[in-house]
Amino acid sequence: MATFFNEMYVDGGAEVRTHYRSFEDWLAEQPTDMLARKRVEADVIFRRVGITFAVYGSDAGTERLIPFDIIPRIIPSSEWTQLQAGLKQRVQALNLFIHDIYHDQTIVKAGVLPADQVFRNAQYRPEMQGITVASDIYAHIAGVDIVRAGAGEFYVLEDNLRVPSGVSYMLEDRKMMMRLFPDLFARHKVAPVAHYPDLLLDMLRSVAPQGVDNPTVVVMTPGMYNSAYFEHAFLAQQMGVELVEGQDLFVNDNHVYMRTTRGPKRVDVIYRRVDDDFLDPLVFRSDSTLGVAGLLSVYRAGRVTLANAIGTGVADDKSIYPFVPDMIRFYLSEEPILNNVPTYQCRKNEDLQYTLDHLSELVVKEVHGAGGYGMLVGPASTKAEIDAFRERLKAKPEGYISQPTLALSSCPTYVESGVAPRHIDLRPFVLSGKTVTMVPGGLTRVALKEGSLVVNSSQGGGTKDTWVLEK
């Protein structure tokens, strides 16, 4: 039977970890019905504010709350110092990699990474070849998924560099905890996260096109039917910038302009939450009504900054993920601070055979998949599901990777039966501009179903406030 690292307790509950002792003392003082009342209060407030997540699939068109757990995940400052150093190192190497493959391609020429892994990748954008972007930064906002397994070691599960989401829930979870439990914050020195929108705006302004001293920044959304629309509107409001759709922008004289009641206003930086394929119908999908015709020509001329840059997806594709430690060594001449999860590349015959022989033990993921879709969790699957997935894997092995089923760490969580352990991960948000910055912590996602290892909101997962304790 797998053993799981418990964030709060040592030796199966025999001892409370030092950084949780004050919280555990507080929890023991609370009346038995208090947590239930506070959870109901949180749900009412979240629904009133409109913090919802659009659901795709069988319930398409509906919206629901992302369940919020009122027991925080607590990280001591020493652990955060290590995590932060590893995250900065990793994102720095990923930015160097993206710049390299769209310019000199030295990592491919050196044989560190196979050419076909890059240039036949569905996320590679040949249109970006040779384009100079502001400050040579491509992944301005990175959401790196971290898990803890084994005896408590941290691993990077995946890198999200296209349009990473979830930061609004990190901010709202903190506001909710401070509202519900002000006495807890008097007992703990919790590092703040509320300044994230200020850091984000400062970073976006810092990567404006050369010569622009007072840049106009906008957030570009696909519209209100997008699953993360709440976040788009929230971040625009928090930064004090305009929320726009493609139809609000137009290109003239090789600049991008925004339609306003006072006439056209030039736009210098676009924090875009629209996928590459829909950004410019003259270059990518001609049927897109979400983008701006001519946007790429302005981008190519260096007269607008897109965050994140077009083509960043090639670096967060799961087929590229196994090579990130090699990127760190190649570009930075350093050993990785954070380890990858051991990964089998099914495009390789020996890895494919191992995966097919051990499907019931492994997690198998589509290389372009996201949100918990298109994957097999072997230990939690039926024989029929495994057999069906086996045929998909054999038909297109290059479209999959596999990994051991990690014993994800667990954290006490308030569920219907009371306080019980549930598996979690962590998504810190790394901002890259003139400098690399982040707020302490990130979004902790929790698998609310007993025994489940899938934390994605789209698969029924919830969120927790993440506390990094200051020294």
Side-chain angles (χ1 to χ4, degrees):
M1 180 178 175
T3 57
F4 303 101
F5 181 91
N6 190 300
E7 299 284 339
M8 185 168 171
Y9 296 105
V10 182
D11 298 330
E15 181 185 348
V16 181
R17 298 189 189 278
T18 304
H19 56 283
Y20 264 101
R21 284 177 185 165
S22 179
F23 176 82
E24 207 256 358
D25 289 345
W26 172 88
L27 192 61
E29 297 167 3
Q30 305 312 307
T32 53
D33 65 338
M34 184 276 297
L35 292 181
R37 286 188 287 105
K38 292 293 187 180
R39 186 171 72 171
V40 170
E41 184 180 344
D43 286 351
V44 169
I45 296 170
F46 276 146
R47 195 169 294 282
R48 186 185 305 146
V49 174
I51 305 173
T52 57
F53 183 86
V55 180
Y56 298 140
S58 59
D59 296 317
T62 65
E63 290 194 343
R64 59 172 171 78
L65 291 175
I66 295 181
F68 167 66
D69 182 53
I70 55 182
I71 298 181
R73 188 253 186 93
I74 304 177
I75 300 173
S77 59
S78 58
E79 287 184 359
W80 176 248
T81 298
Q82 176 206 5
L83 267 175
Q84 182 172 245
L87 289 163
K88 287 184 175 182
Q89 178 195 58
R90 191 174 182 97
V91 171
Q92 185 183 358
L94 286 164
N95 268 307
L96 290 168
F97 167 71
I98 304 169
H99 178 269
D100 185 24
I101 62 165
Y102 288 120
H103 290 83
D104 296 334
Q105 302 166 0
T106 56
I107 196 167
V108 174
K109 293 172 183 174
V112 176
L113 203 155
D116 66 319
Q117 288 287 87
V118 175
F119 304 120
R120 292 185 182 176
N121 192 296
Q123 300 302 320
Y124 170 71
R125 297 289 179 260
E127 297 86 358
M128 285 295 292
Q129 203 65 49
I131 292 181
T132 300
V133 301
S135 304
D136 291 337
I137 301 296
Y138 290 76
H140 305 84
I141 303 101
V144 183
D145 291 347
I146 303 287
V147 295
R148 200 207 285 262
E153 299 89 353
F154 288 111
Y155 295 90
V156 175
L157 189 61
E158 63 182 51
D159 307 288
N160 298 281
L161 308 178
R162 287 172 242 182
V163 283
S165 63
V167 75
S168 59
Y169 303 107
M170 173 191 80
L171 296 170
E172 289 293 337
D173 286 356
R174 174 61 54 84
K175 284 168 62 177
M176 182 61 71
M177 287 295 288
M178 294 180 79
R179 176 173 182 158
L180 296 177
F181 307 110
D183 53 323
L184 266 177
F185 289 87
R187 291 187 180 214
H188 297 83
K189 290 186 66 176
V190 182
V193 297
H195 58 297
Y196 176 87
D198 296 331
L199 286 181
L200 177 61
L201 182 58
D202 288 347
M203 180 277 292
L204 292 170
R205 291 173 62 87
S206 79
V207 294
Q210 193 170 7
V212 178
D213 296 326
N214 188 27
T216 296
V217 177
V218 299
V219 177
M220 181 181 178
T221 177
M224 64 183 295
Y225 296 108
N226 183 267
S227 64
Y229 180 74
F230 163 78
E231 177 158 296
H232 308 163
F234 174 87
L235 289 174
Q237 186 268 330
Q238 291 290 305
M239 288 191 289
V241 305
E242 293 293 332
L243 178 69
V244 301
E245 297 182 30
Q247 62 191 4
D248 301 318
L249 304 175
F250 66 94
V251 168
N252 185 44
D253 194 26
N254 222 17
H255 288 94
V256 178
Y257 291 89
M258 167 175 52
R259 294 180 174 90
T260 76
T261 54
R262 296 184 178 183
K265 181 177 178 61
R266 182 172 153 180
V267 172
D268 305 297
V269 181
I270 300 174
Y271 176 21
R272 55 99 176 194
R273 301 296 293 261
V274 177
D275 291 339
D276 287 356
D277 287 343
F278 301 94
L279 280 174
D280 186 342
L282 300 183
V283 180
F284 302 114
R285 285 186 55 158
S286 60
D287 61 342
S288 172
T289 59
L290 303 178
V292 184
L295 179 60
L296 188 66
S297 67
V298 182
Y299 189 46
R300 187 178 282 120
R303 293 179 176 175
V304 70
T305 296
L306 297 178
N308 287 348
I310 296 171
T312 55
V314 69
D316 74 7
D317 186 274
K318 292 179 179 65
S319 68
I320 297 295
Y321 163 89
F323 297 96
V324 178
D326 295 325
M327 292 178 200
I328 293 170
R329 298 182 185 101
F330 184 79
Y331 295 116
L332 304 178
S333 300
E334 298 171 0
E335 281 301 306
I337 297 170
L338 296 173
N339 292 320
N340 271 16
V341 177
T343 302
Y344 301 96
Q345 302 174 60
C346 296
R347 61 190 291 273
K348 297 180 178 180
N349 288 335
E350 62 272 26
D351 286 10
L352 172 63
Q353 192 57 54
Y354 179 87
T355 301
L356 291 171
D357 291 344
H358 297 83
L359 273 180
S360 62
E361 306 163 22
L362 300 171
V363 176
V364 189
K365 304 175 182 178
E366 286 184 321
V367 294
H368 307 315
Y373 296 103
M375 65 186 289
L376 175 82
V377 181
S381 300
T382 65
K383 182 178 184 302
E385 289 168 337
I386 291 172
D387 289 344
F389 207 93
R390 183 187 307 277
E391 297 309 309
R392 291 166 58 186
L393 185 54
K394 287 161 67 174
K396 191 182 179 183
E398 71 280 5
Y400 296 90
I401 61 165
S402 67
Q403 297 170 330
T405 305
L406 291 183
L408 299 189
S409 68
S410 65
C411 187
T413 300
Y414 185 70
V415 294
E416 296 301 327
S417 58
V419 178
R422 292 292 184 268
H423 297 297
I424 58 172
D425 78 351
L426 176 67
R427 178 176 290 182
F429 295 90
V430 186
L431 302 178
S432 300
K434 299 294 186 187
T435 59
V436 181
T437 58
M438 66 192 82
V439 296
L443 178 68
T444 290
R445 301 183 298 177
V446 53
L448 295 173
K449 184 179 177 182
E450 185 175 4
S452 174
L453 298 171
V454 182
V455 300
N456 305 75
S457 304
S458 54
Q459 307 296 317
T463 66
K464 287 174 171 285
D465 191 13
T466 308
W467 294 5
V468 173
L469 300 182
E470 295 180 322
K471 291 181 180 178

